[in-house]
Amino acid sequence: MSTTYGYTGKVLRIDLGSGEVWTEDTFKYKDFIGGEGIGYKILWDEVPAGTHPFDPENKITFGAGPLCGTGVPCSGRTTIISLLPTSPHHGAGSSHMGGYFSVEMKYAGYDSIVLEGKSPKPVWIRIEDDKVTIEDARWIWGKGIFDTMAMISSQMGKEAQVAAIGPAGENQLNMSVIRTGTSHSAGGHGGVMGSKNVKAIGIRGTGSVKVADPKAVMELNTLMDQIIGANNQMVAPSHPAPWAEYYSPSSRWTGKPGLFWGAANPPVETGECYPEDVHSIGKRTQKAVFDLGLGAEKYTVRMGGCAHCPIRCHSQLKVPQLEKYGMDPYVSNTCMGYASPRGVMFKGIKEFDGNGEDSSIVGTAIGATLADDLGMWCNYGQIGRDVKWFYEKGVFKRVLPAEEYASIPWHLLEKGDPRFLIDFYNRVAHKQGEIAHIADGAAWIAKRWGLGDDYWDAKENKLWTRGGYPVHHSNESAGQVGALISCFSNRDAQNHTHQNFIGSQLPINIQKDVAAELFGSPDALDAPSKYTRMNEYKARFVKWSLIRGRLHDSLTLCNWMWPMHFSPLKSRNYRGDLSLEAKYMTAVTGEAISPEQLDRNAERIVTLLRALNVRSMATTDLRHAHDAVNKWIVTPDKDKEGKVIPQFTPGTIQMEQADMDLGLGMVYKQFGWDEKTGAPTKSTLLELGLGNVAADLEASGLIPA
Amino acid sequence: MGSTKDAVQEKPAPKTQSRRDFLKVTGVGLATAFAAAALGCISVDTRDGRKVKVWRTASGAIIHDPNLCVGCRRCETACTVRNDGKGSAYISRIKVARNFNYGPNGVTAAYAVADGQHGNFRLVGETCRQCSHPACGEACPVGAISADKKTGARVVDTKRCVGCGACEDACPWGMATLDPETRKSTKCLLCDGDPSCVKTCPTGALAFYPWEEAEALLFGTDAVSGASA
């Protein structure tokens, strides 16, 4: 076989029904880049419309892209692609794991792994380079994820990387995760693994990912060192620093003199973290104090994260108090992984059992440990808001059998005692009782429990569309830009292209300058809470963000860091480099590609996902069927006296229906979709080389008139 | 867990001699010693008819600090992209991946509190010691491993390497690794005196020390070196 660069050249296919294992050539999918793009292509070609996510006919792809495994900064994530159980039309979507799984997968020789069919009994998949076997999993079925990973590693060797589901996935909860190491795949694909009777995939790879131009890759890495910032590509520190012209207290660049990894032995000072100093990049983000407050400093052993990423956004803590609750003291997580379980304790986590001022940290750590081991997903924090709504509005009382309701220790919730979390998560993950349906996801539970408009339209519930997913950097992030981005997915949008742009922590005038360079006018970006009406430059910003999101999930690069809009260096005029993806792609694969060509390939993936939605919703009218936002978003705020605060006055971030309608049309136009319905037109599909998609849709009468 | 000292005591006595011993034995040594320093490594006949190798001391060695390591494993690809034109953990001359999840001892029932990402978060990276009497070089049947003229690193001449794996078997630290794709040995070559892994480390967990200092660190407290932990 000839040498391939970047790509390993093989996609591993496993039919769990027949036990057949084979490989196919990656390059037949090259127009779809890798990772997410390949996953959607397989769903289009091979999974018929109307398939339930838990049907054997559904397929699940574990994808990596051509840059994964080469050491390109922040290239360690795994993109998992399948139908989404929480989606009311079972739309396609991706979930993502950090960690080290995809790198090991590529070193074993595979760009992607695709599972299909259903095993007649519980199994796990063992991959050691080109040796692939399907193994009996009865001895690990029912185990928590951490024990599962350890038990498989005891069989395969300590070097193995394992992706596994917990009881939540086994029980086919819609809101369940696949987990590898200390990273989980938010998105809800754990149940798809469970439906196929697959407990885990273990991989060991002794091979490599070849690089066409090693010298160029190393030079690009050196260039990246001047551009990369802190977590979420924030490029100004959280505090005044001798090197920094700007600072912002909300920055995740928290490292500074006097701030430590307090539980390291000896404690490690994060220090000044000069932007030119390569050897402190990994100390810039002291994420424990950002996520959990200053009290978390003393519990911090170190930071962690994913393969080949110098930015360490996971905080890894030793919380000795956990042992009192029968848990091991070490806990690692980041962002919502900590915040969501805490959200279930909506009355706060108060002093209990003598933990005093740190009881919130202890309670948060208990919740994170439970959710991670059981394999529960939070629907981007929705689970906490749902518990609050259902408890306070009497929904639980109405829908749970009286005996079940009485058996739930609500008094612990009332008291703020996190032992409520132990009871709650175990009930739900093990599908015990009616309450477990809270993990069906908002769209399904609204039907089952008869929830009306008040549920969907309550601002506090933060539900974006009737698709059942909540805000994730939506209207609070650059107004219509974030709001429109949130309309195009089948789960929380989790697009960080725009979020990292506006979150750079640089002054708004610098951001506006870069917005003008990119989108043609500084009006593409409004200052926070000073929103103006929709314009076409904002539509370009939306298009850019959606395209780069799909690009990163396909390459695979972390969209929580990429793209590199800004740099911390004044000497670079704070400019990053938005051609870096293409430059790396060229250096790694040896085939020259321009940023425009690469973005065009990613645009193909955006439109393919759009076509998948047309197919699964069986309508071209996505504007109304898919993209329509809930009323609270377009309802003006009221002041204390009950007087309406009109949209687009400073201080309010509420959107307006007519303006959103206009914005949707502008974005459709940017992508060459039908401006009325938002469905891809035949000519656009053909221009993107999606002729088979056009033909399939035309045969089903799903091409807009 | 064995300390470095234990491990060293278990190590078989070297079959070759240090430069000082060599001088005592032969009495002809000054010129030979200069030759060793210049050439890196020479093979000499002793008075009693044995063949011994004299190795120039390496200029330094890389040390890994588990307390600072954040486990990004950028060092591994920094090594292999520079030296092999590819990303790989298995053949990386610095070994972080293999102890990453469960520490040097592997999975135990107490994994949740033992070394590793799944335990107490302590990551034990392993680096080549550039041994004074390198077992890899002594074991090589074709003399493909010698001391680099500039850095003194024990380096593999891939043109001469026959891929037998003798160095891999001989290294007491498990550092020399046969590349399964090329069937050539890989071991730390100190990147011409400016190690790529050290340059890349985002927390300064890797440092390049003068050889004597590195030895002192490696053979001293187990708090410093991955290899000794």
Side-chain angles (χ1 to χ4, degrees):
Chain A
M1 194 178 159
S2 63
T3 301
T4 59
Y5 296 101
Y7 298 93
T8 66
K10 282 187 293 188
V11 173
L12 178 65
R13 311 280 302 228
I14 300 171
D15 183 340
L16 293 147
S18 67
E20 196 187 348
V21 175
W22 71 103
T23 62
E24 62 181 341
D25 187 352
T26 306
F27 291 99
K28 71 187 240 197
Y29 299 111
K30 212 177 155 201
D31 290 347
F32 299 87
I33 304 171
E36 187 173 34
I38 292 181
Y40 289 153
K41 173 69 174 155
I42 287 170
L43 284 182
W44 184 273
D45 288 347
E46 303 179 27
V47 177
T51 302
H52 189 284
F54 298 155
D55 284 344
E57 290 75 23
N58 185 23
K59 304 194 179 189
I60 182 166
T61 300
F62 292 75
L67 301 186
C68 175
T70 62
V72 172
C74 324
S75 60
R77 288 173 72 79
T78 309
T79 309
I80 301 167
I81 308 95
S82 192
L83 301 178
L84 289 168
T86 52
S87 159
H89 59 100
H90 292 142
S94 58
S95 56
H96 317 92
M97 303 186 292
Y100 302 77
F101 183 84
S102 53
V103 168
E104 200 73 15
M105 176 172 83
K106 289 201 71 181
Y107 291 166
Y110 310 105
D111 294 307
S112 293
I113 298 170
V114 187
L115 307 183
E116 61 186 74
K118 178 186 178 177
S119 166
K121 59 170 190 184
V123 294
W124 66 281
I125 294 163
R126 179 175 188 144
I127 301 171
E128 287 158 311
D129 293 326
D130 52 2
K131 192 177 156 206
V132 180
T133 52
I134 300 172
E135 309 275 346
D136 193 324
R138 281 174 296 188
W139 59 297
I140 40 177
W141 201 257
K143 298 280 182 198
I145 294 183
F146 292 115
D147 278 353
T148 299
M149 291 190 292
M151 290 166 86
I152 286 178
S153 296
S154 74
Q155 300 273 303
M156 292 188 71
K158 61 180 179 167
E159 298 89 343
Q161 296 296 340
V162 181
I165 57 169
E170 292 175 14
N171 292 323
Q172 297 176 35
L173 260 57
N174 289 353
M175 279 161 52
S176 55
V177 304
I178 301 164
R179 183 175 189 81
T180 185
T182 43
S183 300
H184 69 255
S185 68
H189 284 141
V192 177
M193 286 264 280
S195 73
K196 298 188 176 310
N197 260 328
V198 177
K199 177 69 174 172
I201 304 174
I203 306 189
R204 281 186 68 180
T206 64
S208 67
V209 178
K210 288 162 195 70
V211 169
D213 189 345
K215 194 160 164 275
V217 170
M218 289 193 291
E219 283 166 6
L220 288 168
N221 288 346
T222 304
L223 173 61
M224 270 291 282
D225 288 340
Q226 302 172 35
I227 293 173
I228 201 164
N231 177 219
N232 283 186
Q233 188 52 12
M234 294 183 178
V235 297
S238 64
H239 48 276
W243 56 269
E245 189 177 12
Y246 307 108
Y247 75 97
S248 163
S250 56
S251 176
R252 297 176 182 210
W253 189 314
T254 47
K256 62 179 178 182
L259 183 69
F260 285 81
W261 301 346
N265 182 24
V268 172
E269 188 175 14
T270 53
E272 197 60 78
C273 301
Y274 288 95
E276 298 87 352
D277 176 21
V278 173
H279 304 306
S280 61
I281 294 177
K283 296 179 188 169
R284 284 176 190 173
T285 302
Q286 213 293 18
K287 194 67 188 313
V289 299
F290 184 87
D291 280 346
L292 303 166
L294 274 173
E297 181 187 14
K298 62 180 171 294
Y299 297 115
T300 304
V301 178
R302 63 175 172 84
M303 294 298 116
C306 308
H308 304 164
C309 183
I311 305 302
R312 311 311 281 171
C313 68
H314 290 219
S315 57
Q316 315 207 309
L317 314 176
K318 181 179 186 181
V319 185
Q321 295 95 316
L322 288 187
E323 292 183 297
K324 286 196 291 188
Y325 301 89
M327 296 174 181
D328 295 305
Y330 297 99
V331 58
S332 168
N333 222 310
T334 186
C335 302
M336 293 306 275
Y338 281 129
S340 289
R342 189 170 56 204
V344 170
M345 302 295 295
F346 64 87
K347 292 189 175 241
I349 299 173
K350 301 184 188 76
E351 189 166 342
F352 64 100
D353 240 27
N355 284 319
E357 61 178 10
D358 289 341
S359 53
S360 173
I361 295 170
V362 177
T364 301
I366 289 172
T369 301
L370 284 163
D372 288 349
D373 199 37
L374 294 165
M376 286 278 306
W377 183 41
C378 65
N379 193 10
Y380 198 66
Q382 193 59 33
I383 197 164
R385 292 186 289 271
D386 278 353
V387 167
K388 180 173 192 285
W389 184 267
F390 300 155
Y391 184 70
E392 291 186 337
K393 303 288 177 188
V395 176
F396 280 143
K397 195 131 212 186
R398 174 167 64 79
V399 300
L400 302 187
E403 198 183 338
E404 182 184 341
Y405 187 88
S407 73
I408 296 170
W410 302 111
H411 65 286
L412 296 178
L413 179 67
E414 289 285 350
K415 266 194 342 193
D417 185 330
R419 278 174 292 197
F420 179 78
L421 292 170
I422 299 175
D423 182 272
F424 173 78
Y425 274 109
N426 274 295
R427 278 175 198 267
V428 176
H430 292 103
K431 240 180 184 169
Q432 288 168 354
E434 183 66 21
I435 196 173
H437 286 283
I438 197 168
D440 290 355
W444 296 104
I445 208 170
K447 282 183 197 163
R448 184 178 180 92
W449 289 351
L451 308 174
D453 291 347
D454 58 333
Y455 172 66
W456 290 108
D457 295 335
K459 189 176 183 183
E460 65 181 289
N461 284 344
K462 295 191 176 185
L463 288 159
W464 196 255
T465 72
R466 296 282 169 134
Y469 59 84
V471 298
H472 188 163
H473 304 313
S474 305
N475 59 319
E476 80 282 12
S477 298
Q480 296 95 336
V481 176
L484 290 164
I485 285 168
S486 290
C487 294
F488 294 100
S489 51
N490 295 314
R491 52 166 296 204
D492 59 301
Q494 53 157 18
N495 194 310
H496 268 252
T497 313
H498 70 302
Q499 180 60 26
N500 292 357
F501 190 114
I502 66 165
S504 71
Q505 311 301 318
L506 291 170
I508 184 70
N509 59 311
I510 296 179
Q511 294 186 25
K512 274 179 161 287
D513 287 349
V514 173
E517 292 160 19
L518 256 178
F519 310 120
S521 164
D523 296 338
L525 176 64
D526 292 332
S529 304
K530 288 182 184 164
Y531 292 170
T532 63
R533 289 185 179 277
M534 186 65 198
N535 60 51
E536 72 164 286
Y537 309 107
K538 292 180 182 178
R540 290 185 196 171
F541 196 167
V542 172
K543 183 185 184 188
W544 161 261
S545 301
L546 290 171
I547 282 178
R548 287 285 167 124
R550 301 291 71 75
L551 177 65
H552 299 147
D553 289 342
S554 301
L555 278 175
T556 29
L557 296 173
C558 179
N559 188 235
W560 276 252
M561 283 303 298
W562 287 82
M564 297 289 140
H565 296 109
F566 298 100
S567 154
L569 295 182
K570 191 178 183 184
S571 60
R572 287 186 60 91
N573 200 19
Y574 299 108
R575 297 308 191 266
D577 185 340
L578 295 167
S579 63
L580 271 168
E581 292 95 330
K583 285 174 178 162
Y584 269 122
M585 194 61 181
T586 300
V588 165
T589 65
E591 286 182 38
I593 189 162
S594 68
E596 294 74 24
Q597 288 169 302
L598 200 54
D599 283 346
R600 184 72 174 160
N601 286 345
E603 187 174 349
R604 181 177 299 118
I605 300 167
V606 177
T607 291
L608 179 58
L609 176 59
R610 196 69 176 163
L612 279 160
N613 279 339
V614 169
R615 194 175 73 170
S616 62
M617 299 193 95
T619 176
T620 53
D621 187 13
L622 294 187
R623 178 188 279 270
H624 295 102
H626 185 280
D627 305 341
V629 297
N630 288 324
K631 280 201 188 103
W632 67 267
I633 298 150
V634 290
T635 303
D637 282 334
K638 287 180 181 167
D639 65 15
K640 281 178 199 152
E641 283 87 45
K643 213 176 117 199
V644 166
I645 305 169
Q647 288 97 330
F648 310 112
T649 52
T652 180
I653 62 167
Q654 295 307 99
M655 297 285 99
E656 184 196 81
Q657 187 65 55
D659 188 70
M660 281 293 283
D661 291 342
L662 178 71
L664 284 170
M666 284 179 167
V667 175
Y668 300 160
K669 190 179 175 188
Q670 285 290 328
F671 280 103
W673 302 337
D674 177 46
E675 283 180 58
K676 192 171 150 224
T677 61
T681 62
K682 187 173 176 181
S683 61
T684 292
L685 291 167
L686 293 176
E687 279 166 27
L688 288 166
L690 295 169
N692 70 316
V693 174
D696 291 352
L697 288 176
E698 197 158 37
S700 309
L702 291 171
I703 292 283
Chain B
M1 194 187 305
S3 74
T4 302
K5 281 180 179 166
D6 297 335
V8 167
Q9 280 155 11
E10 286 157 17
K11 196 176 146 186
K15 294 189 187 96
T16 56
Q17 298 145 325
S18 73
R19 199 164 67 202
R20 190 179 301 163
D21 293 340
F22 173 77
L23 294 175
K24 277 184 205 156
V25 171
T26 66
V28 294
L30 207 56
T32 314
F34 279 130
L39 300 171
C41 170
I42 59 164
S43 191
V44 194
D45 294 323
T46 61
R47 285 177 189 160
D48 57 1
R50 287 179 298 131
K51 239 184 190 358
V52 295
K53 279 184 181 170
V54 184
W55 294 83
R56 177 195 158 187
T57 303
S59 56
I62 298 158
I63 306 283
H64 172 268
D65 183 347
N67 199 43
L68 281 174
C69 179
V70 286
C72 67
R73 292 171 40 190
R74 292 189 59 73
C75 51
E76 294 177 340
T77 48
C79 171
T80 60
V81 168
R82 179 192 187 275
N83 297 311
D84 308 277
K86 57 193 186 184
S88 172
Y90 183 74
I91 64 162
S92 169
R93 295 152 185 84
I94 172 166
K95 312 284 190 191
V96 178
R98 68 184 179 192
N99 296 337
F100 184 84
N101 281 334
Y102 297 103
N105 292 342
V107 186
T108 64
Y111 74 87
V113 291
D115 279 356
Q117 179 66 27
H118 290 291
N120 62 18
F121 304 126
R122 188 166 182 273
L123 303 180
V124 182
E126 294 172 291
T127 53
C128 174
R129 297 165 170 243
Q130 308 294 352
C131 303
S132 57
H133 301 85
C136 56
E138 299 293 340
C140 180
V142 295
I145 298 178
S146 64
D148 180 76
K149 282 175 195 158
K150 181 175 169 194
T151 64
R154 286 68 175 105
V155 295
V156 179
D157 179 349
T158 51
K159 289 195 189 80
R160 294 170 78 177
C161 174
V162 292
C164 67
C167 53
E168 187 176 292
D169 294 342
C171 176
W173 321 107
M175 294 307 296
T177 305
L178 204 60
D179 183 340
E181 294 175 343
T182 62
R183 303 299 299 168
K184 300 288 181 187
S185 172
T186 60
K187 69 163 298 302
C188 179
L189 66 168
L190 294 180
C191 299
D192 223 18
D194 188 15
S196 187
C197 57
V198 174
K199 277 197 289 191
T200 303
C201 181
T203 56
L206 292 171
F208 183 45
Y209 287 92
W211 193 83
E212 287 78 5
E213 245 179 84
E215 276 294 282
L217 286 166
L218 287 165
F219 284 80
T221 165
D222 73 354
V224 176
S225 163
S228 67

